[in-house]
Amino acid sequence: MLNDLQLNSILEDFDIAYWKINILTNEITWSEHFEALVGKPSTQDSIFNYFLNNILHKDYKYDFREAFERLTSGSPEISQEIKLKLQNDKYRWFECRNLKSKENSNKDTAVLLFVNIHQSKRDQYTIEENFFYYRETAEMTSTGGWYIDTLHKAIYWDDVTKKILDCPGDYQVDYDERMRFYSTDHQEKALSIFNKCEKYGIPFKTEIKMCTLYGREFWVRATGKPVYNEEQEIIGIRGVFQNIDENKNNELNLQNSLDIIAAQNSRLFNFAHIVSHNLRSHSSNLSLVVQLLSETQPLKDKMELLDNISDISENLDVAISKLNEIVTHQDVLTKERKTTDFSNALDVVMASVSSLIKRESATIISDFKALKEIQYIPEYLESILLNLITNAIKYKQPGRKPVIFIQTYLSNEKSFMEISDNGMGIDLDQFGEKMFGMYKTFHRNSDAKGIGLFITKNQVETLGGSISVTSTVNIGTTFKIKF
Amino acid sequence: MGQKIELACIIDDDKIYVNLVRKIIEIKHLSENLLIFKNGLEALDYFKVILTNMTADKLPDIIFLDLNMPVMDGWEFLGEFIKIKNNFDKKIILYVVSSSIDPRDLERAKSFNLVTDYLIKPIELKKFEQIFDRDVA
């Protein structure tokens, strides 16, 4: 058997301090090591009260007193985690438990051990804390973890992954169905990045469109890395999905607004250029007239020149009213969209160009069955129809009666209108780019003012749509408007 | 003082401008004859006909080309004319004349070797005289 001295030295080596308690008298003796840790007790107070009031952290006062009472009343086992103030005034964690009394040992004495557990306690806290931060971060940033066991074809998702994919907590994803969680147009990309990672160990970090259990599409940033076994063979892929739908959408919207602003800016620039050009051409003629007037001698010649002035002023007037027309057409944001019926709009237009239709024996066929109405500015729809219809009649194939076919339909939840004619067509390779510019005319046609398509394009675009054209020379032209 | 210009050519759709220039040329006796086309295509057709039946006296000494015209504008005309001009043995002087003060137009016009200069409308009478005087072939 070890004697007290040997035992003490062993306990000290293990950083264990203890109390010896006489159960009959409740007298407490501190071991040397215990005294070394917390300091000598004051002699004024009982050793127990001194301990309670000066050494033990106040949070554990109640529990410790209760455990101590159980010990002195013969409880076979107590165990407590408590904090004690050491000599340096810092609190440290200790586990406090009794030495079990053997059959033959002295039943009058109990031994209470104090084991320093500060390090392990702190590690445990750190882990809990880290885990807490990890969970909070994952929740706040909508970042879910996942693991694919590529050997056994199994997929494991954490709670956040399930949450961002709208899956219930007990959902088990089937390996063969994994592609259903990617948007149809991104499935190929998803397969490719996962395959590359599985086969060649290429990690990935990409933005991809996923699809929840209920089919709602959204953007995620997917990061994945291969997992190797000890033989350096790839056995799985581990990674995270971060829901970035809001950011991605903001980014897309921003890009969209940027494009619109750029387009409007370029229109404004174009407009300023046109204004300057159109007004300048008349003012320069005026200036020429004035110069000539001073050079010309006979009164008759001078009078002739004066005629020019009236022509110039008339042209200037026309130019200004045309520019006004463009400005009025561009100033749209004040008007509101309302339910606009295609058939009604066409009736209005047909009535206004009835004489032209009659003169050219034009036939207009419409089919609005698939899409009867849209939310639009009625005046705009009418103006678009008017421009495209008069255009089709104006550029008919000589000797052929104009036939115009107008059709509306829905495709991918977007509204479309197509206006096709059997006219002379346009060489798009030559004129395609300028098609919708201002004052561009493509045909040797005296009526051609070259402003209609510019206005039409403007109207369609200011309401968020787009217009495109396909054409075959001598066969006809089709304008397609996406509203 | 150089040789007198025999034939000048104006490609412009602005009737008033063309009439005024015609008058200036008459009054100042700047050129014997004047060719007038109201767009690039008409002018190009004329030059193509000469190509098939080469007669140098029908070629103008000087061309005043507008930019903004219907059917075929000045740029398109330049693009086509550059392809055929080397078939003429006569040196033809070409001025781009426009009321556009857009610097992009100016840059673009100067990028063509065959463009002698870019003139902004209105052209001073004195400038006309200088051009006709100096630029005789």
Side-chain angles (χ1 to χ4, degrees):
Chain A
M1 272 301 273
L2 298 166
N3 63 30
D4 268 12
L5 208 65
Q6 288 168 317
L7 190 69
N8 259 340
S9 124
I10 290 171
L11 291 175
E12 206 170 318
D13 278 355
F14 282 93
D15 204 1
I16 297 169
Y18 65 92
W19 292 6
K20 238 191 307 197
I21 304 146
N22 185 324
I23 303 229
L24 300 174
T25 62
N26 273 3
E27 192 194 331
I28 297 166
T29 321
W30 289 3
S31 73
E32 270 177 43
H33 185 54
F34 191 81
E35 266 190 22
L37 285 174
V38 303
K40 276 192 191 306
S42 129
T43 47
Q44 323 237 307
D45 215 340
S46 86
I47 204 167
F48 186 68
N49 283 339
Y50 175 79
F51 175 76
L52 284 188
N53 294 328
N54 299 298
I55 309 296
L56 183 65
H57 192 282
K58 62 182 187 335
D59 288 356
Y60 306 95
K61 239 184 209 177
Y62 177 83
D63 288 342
F64 182 80
R65 191 199 293 271
E66 194 227 29
F68 190 80
E69 272 163 20
R70 277 193 281 127
L71 180 73
T72 49
S73 57
S75 169
E77 195 177 334
I78 64 159
S79 172
Q80 286 261 304
E81 285 181 355
I82 54 174
K83 270 157 114 178
L84 301 183
K85 188 158 88 181
L86 303 191
Q87 292 225 62
N88 60 5
D89 280 346
K90 281 181 179 155
Y91 283 96
R92 286 285 178 273
W93 280 101
F94 287 85
E95 185 189 357
C96 156
R97 64 167 192 265
N98 63 329
L99 199 66
K100 275 180 215 142
S101 50
K102 305 278 181 331
E103 284 302 314
N104 57 354
S105 66
N106 188 352
K107 290 242 164 71
D108 298 343
T109 309
V111 174
L112 198 56
L113 299 172
F114 292 84
V115 184
N116 188 337
I117 55 162
H118 195 75
Q119 192 57 44
S120 67
K121 195 75 184 170
R122 209 168 58 180
D123 290 349
Q124 182 195 337
Y125 267 123
T126 312
I127 292 167
E128 275 174 16
E129 202 175 338
N130 283 349
F131 188 70
F132 170 80
Y133 284 130
Y134 149 72
R135 280 201 64 104
E136 285 292 302
T137 312
E139 287 275 345
M140 275 191 298
T141 58
S142 292
T143 306
W146 47 264
Y147 178 70
I148 302 175
D149 180 342
T150 52
L151 291 185
H152 306 97
K153 305 288 177 215
I155 296 176
Y156 304 96
W157 285 348
D158 76 351
D159 291 344
V160 182
T161 300
K162 287 176 185 168
K163 198 171 153 193
I164 60 180
L165 287 166
D166 282 351
C167 293
D170 56 356
Y171 187 83
Q172 287 293 330
V173 56
D174 186 4
Y175 186 82
D176 294 323
E177 282 205 339
R178 67 198 194 283
M179 278 302 134
R180 67 169 286 191
F181 290 98
Y182 296 88
S183 139
T184 338
D185 45 334
H186 282 221
Q187 285 175 356
E188 204 176 311
K189 176 182 178 183
L191 263 181
S192 145
I193 56 173
F194 281 110
N195 279 344
K196 269 193 265 179
C197 193
E198 181 181 340
K199 284 199 185 117
Y200 313 113
I202 300 168
F204 57 83
K205 187 175 205 169
T206 186
E207 287 177 7
I208 194 165
K209 214 152 82 185
M210 290 188 80
C211 187
T212 69
L213 190 61
Y214 304 109
R216 178 177 54 83
E217 292 188 345
F218 67 108
W219 283 95
V220 300
R221 178 173 294 123
T223 313
K225 285 175 185 158
V227 177
Y228 294 93
N229 65 5
E230 306 218 320
E231 278 79 48
Q232 295 303 309
E233 296 158 341
I234 296 169
I235 54 164
I237 307 170
R238 192 174 15 228
V240 292
F241 289 142
Q242 186 186 359
N243 183 349
I244 52 160
D245 202 42
E246 212 176 309
N247 293 344
K248 189 73 188 176
N249 279 333
N250 284 344
E251 185 191 320
L252 292 177
N253 286 341
L254 196 65
Q255 187 56 46
N256 218 1
S257 318
L258 213 63
D259 291 346
I260 291 173
I261 290 169
Q264 278 173 348
N265 200 24
S266 122
R267 277 207 298 269
L268 275 177
F269 204 82
N270 192 12
F271 181 68
H273 177 43
I274 293 289
V275 170
S276 138
H277 178 271
N278 282 24
L279 297 182
R280 281 186 53 84
S281 62
H282 302 295
S283 71
S284 76
N285 282 344
L286 263 182
S287 137
L288 268 187
V289 171
V290 172
Q291 290 183 57
L292 268 172
L293 272 175
S294 63
E295 297 275 331
T296 316
Q297 286 312 324
L299 191 62
K300 185 173 124 291
D301 287 359
K302 279 190 195 280
M303 290 312 287
E304 253 178 59
L305 282 169
L306 284 178
D307 285 348
N308 279 314
I309 293 183
S310 80
D311 287 347
I312 293 169
S313 81
E314 207 171 284
N315 288 352
L316 192 58
D317 200 45
V318 171
I320 288 172
S321 66
K322 241 190 237 167
L323 292 173
N324 265 337
E325 193 183 340
I326 296 169
V327 173
T328 342
H329 275 293
Q330 296 213 332
D331 175 31
V332 272
L333 296 171
T334 50
K335 287 183 186 154
E336 276 182 21
R337 289 167 188 252
K338 48 182 146 179
T339 307
T340 308
D341 188 285
F342 283 105
S343 182
N344 288 348
L346 183 62
D347 288 346
V348 172
V349 173
M350 301 258 288
S352 73
V353 290
S354 60
S355 60
L356 179 68
I357 292 173
K358 206 177 278 173
R359 193 178 76 213
E360 302 288 347
S361 313
T363 314
I364 296 178
I365 305 156
S366 61
D367 177 4
F368 301 132
K369 281 197 292 292
L371 177 67
K372 292 191 170 68
E373 54 190 31
I374 48 164
Q375 290 301 312
Y376 218 64
I377 299 173
E379 291 83 356
Y380 275 67
L381 185 62
E382 287 161 20
S383 160
I384 291 164
L385 280 168
L386 179 73
N387 269 329
L388 293 180
I389 288 173
T390 48
N391 227 48
I393 297 176
K394 222 186 268 174
Y395 303 119
K396 64 172 186 171
Q397 175 75 356
R400 202 190 288 160
K401 283 181 185 166
V403 177
I404 301 164
F405 184 76
I406 308 171
Q407 190 178 20
T408 55
Y409 58 93
L410 279 170
S411 172
N412 280 331
E413 293 175 26
K414 295 274 191 311
S415 308
F416 288 89
M417 176 166 74
E418 284 187 16
I419 299 186
S420 309
D421 64 52
N422 61 346
M424 60 169 82
I426 300 161
D427 183 351
L428 290 175
D429 288 338
Q430 204 180 341
F431 298 110
E433 277 176 34
K434 313 176 177 172
M435 186 89 203
F436 298 101
M438 223 185 288
Y439 295 125
K440 290 291 173 197
T441 48
F442 313 101
H443 308 277
R444 295 208 218 197
N445 192 320
S446 53
D447 285 1
K449 289 274 194 295
I451 196 168
L453 287 180
F454 174 79
I455 291 176
T456 300
K457 184 177 159 73
N458 258 299
Q459 288 169 331
V460 171
E461 283 179 356
T462 17
L463 291 187
S466 60
I467 181 165
S468 60
V469 60
T470 48
S471 185
T472 313
V473 173
N474 297 337
I475 301 292
T477 304
T478 297
F479 286 94
K480 181 166 166 181
I481 294 170
K482 187 176 118 186
F483 290 107
Chain B
M1 226 11 210
Q3 208 181 324
K4 194 173 166 76
I5 283 186
E6 306 264 327
L7 184 59
C9 169
I10 299 176
I11 310 172
D12 201 309
D13 64 325
D14 183 345
K15 282 182 201 146
I16 295 176
Y17 165 80
V18 170
N19 278 334
L20 292 171
V21 174
R22 193 210 308 270
K23 208 148 248 161
I24 293 169
I25 290 176
E26 270 171 26
I27 293 170
K28 300 279 177 190
H29 309 292
L30 297 177
S31 171
E32 294 289 314
N33 291 297
L34 194 57
L35 275 173
I36 293 166
F37 303 105
K38 63 174 185 286
N39 63 58
L41 192 64
E42 283 186 10
L44 192 68
D45 285 346
Y46 174 85
F47 287 111
K48 280 183 174 167
V49 168
I50 294 181
L51 262 188
T52 59
N53 175 21
M54 203 71 78
T55 39
D57 60 321
K58 284 184 189 165
L59 282 172
D61 304 291
I62 189 165
I63 297 174
F64 295 96
L65 175 68
D66 185 26
L67 288 180
N68 233 309
M69 289 178 288
V71 186
M72 181 188 272
D73 65 21
W75 302 120
E76 288 161 325
F77 175 80
L78 281 173
E80 294 296 319
F81 189 65
I82 214 166
K83 293 181 202 161
I84 58 167
K85 70 154 185 135
N86 286 335
N87 296 321
F88 305 124
D89 2 314
K90 189 169 176 181
K91 186 176 186 298
I92 298 170
I93 295 155
L94 192 147
Y95 283 93
V96 167
V97 185
S98 171
S99 50
S100 164
I101 49 170
D102 189 335
R104 290 174 304 182
D105 285 343
L106 236 114
E107 280 299 306
R108 193 172 161 196
K110 291 197 168 153
S111 73
F112 284 91
N113 269 335
L114 72 154
V115 174
T116 303
D117 203 357
Y118 183 105
L119 305 174
I120 294 171
K121 289 181 189 172
I123 307 171
E124 300 269 315
L125 251 61
K126 281 201 183 81
K127 179 78 182 165
F128 261 116
E129 287 178 277
Q130 274 174 20
I131 288 168
F132 276 87
D133 191 29
R134 199 188 54 199
D135 291 319
V136 167

